[in-house]
Amino acid sequence: MRLFLGSLRLAAFVFGSIALYGLWWVSSWFVPNKTLWRQVAFHWWSRLFARIAQMELEVIGPPPKPPFLLVSNHVSYVDIPVLRLAANGIFVAKSEVKDWFLAGPMIRNMGNIFIDRKNRRDIPRAGAEVIRKLNEREGVILFPEGTSTKGEMILPFNSSFLEFAAKTDLPVSYAAVRYATPEGGPTPSERVCWWDDTGFLKHLWLLFSLPTFTAIVTFGDQPIVDTDRKRLAVKLREGIESNFIPML
């Protein structure tokens, strides 16, 4: 029964996403404020995901208001709709996301910034793009761990991703993301976290097979400023870790 539920929800998400994306693409030719329209479409896509997945969202603490730079721990592609619902921002994502089935083109056209994390020379370009988005009064969300994890711990942050923030005295907000699943069923690390070699579509199907799950986002009290990128990375990680509960 649950496997059938996963298939039904996956089909609904695919067709719903295509319909929403098509509506956005056609309307974008006529809407004057394309940035606002893109933000609205991204928000409704995130709500579509949450509704189909029967995902409950719990937000602890006040989210930052645009423009902002926000960093978070990273355990799954689910973090994208979760943080998009909790805070009005776009994302800095690894370049491989552009090739994801269905989600890739949508995420690419929603104004997100892509970075080749294997090429250190691409980091300054991405940093300049973040500054441009902030100057346009948008929020930007970054995952400085550089990869998604099993949810057992928070990996050390890649401080090179924060060099542009340190050089410009940019305040950086932070948030801890975690998930909870119903008792007696699969754990968050088994169904929500995407950390092994399971394919994207298969993992999405397994996720949709859950009857429900909860996303908890805890925002830090104050943004952090430091002119040294390594110290900034350590302080942000410590702030997130103080609000983080392992997902076992």
Side-chain angles (χ1 to χ4, degrees), residues 93-143:
K94 58 184 180 181
S95 57
E96 294 90 335
V97 172
K98 293 186 291 186
D99 300 323
W100 284 1
F101 172 75
L102 184 63
M106 290 192 64
I107 294 173
R108 182 171 63 246
N109 289 324
M110 290 298 107
N112 296 291
I113 301 166
F114 293 94
I115 181 172
D116 183 356
R117 296 182 176 181
K118 298 177 182 178
N119 181 5
R120 295 182 64 87
R121 291 179 294 181
D122 196 43
I123 295 176
R125 179 205 58 79
E129 184 69 9
V130 171
I131 295 296
R132 186 178 71 82
K133 292 291 186 180
L134 294 175
N135 289 335
E136 294 174 356
R137 311 297 296 175
E138 292 209 65
V140 179
I141 302 168
L142 171 68
F143 301 116

Side-chain angles (χ1 to χ4, degrees), residues 166-217:
K167 285 184 175 180
T168 57
D169 291 334
L170 183 67
V172 185
S173 301
Y174 60 92
V177 177
R178 61 185 177 92
Y179 298 94
T181 52
E183 291 186 11
T187 65
S189 63
E190 293 173 327
R191 286 293 176 87
V192 185
C193 302
W194 190 33
W195 52 275
D196 57 12
D197 58 358
T198 303
F200 173 61
L201 272 182
K202 182 179 180 180
H203 191 277
L204 188 60
W205 174 64
L206 290 171
L207 174 75
F208 283 151
S209 299
L210 288 171
T212 184
F213 67 96
T214 303
I216 304 100
V217 182

Side-chain angles (χ1 to χ4, degrees), residues 35-122:
T35 299
L36 178 60
W37 182 228
R38 169 174 53 74
Q39 292 173 345
V40 170
F42 200 179
H43 175 79
W44 279 101
W45 177 79
S46 300
R47 289 193 64 178
L48 173 73
F49 176 89
R51 183 66 179 270
I52 291 175
Q54 290 295 294
M55 182 189 78
E56 299 290 335
L57 175 61
E58 180 181 347
V59 177
I60 302 172
K65 296 180 180 179
F68 63 78
L69 177 63
L70 173 72
V71 301
S72 169
N73 63 301
H74 188 31
V75 297
S76 176
Y77 52 84
V78 184
D79 301 340
I80 293 176
V82 165
L83 287 169
R84 184 59 184 77
L85 290 171
N88 184 15
I90 59 174
F91 293 82
V92 178
K94 58 184 180 181
S95 57
E96 294 90 335
V97 172
K98 293 186 291 186
D99 300 323
W100 284 1
F101 172 75
L102 184 63
M106 290 192 64
I107 294 173
R108 182 171 63 246
N109 289 324
M110 290 298 107
N112 296 291
I113 301 166
F114 293 94
I115 181 172
D116 183 356
R117 296 182 176 181
K118 298 177 182 178
N119 181 5
R120 295 182 64 87
R121 291 179 294 181
D122 196 43

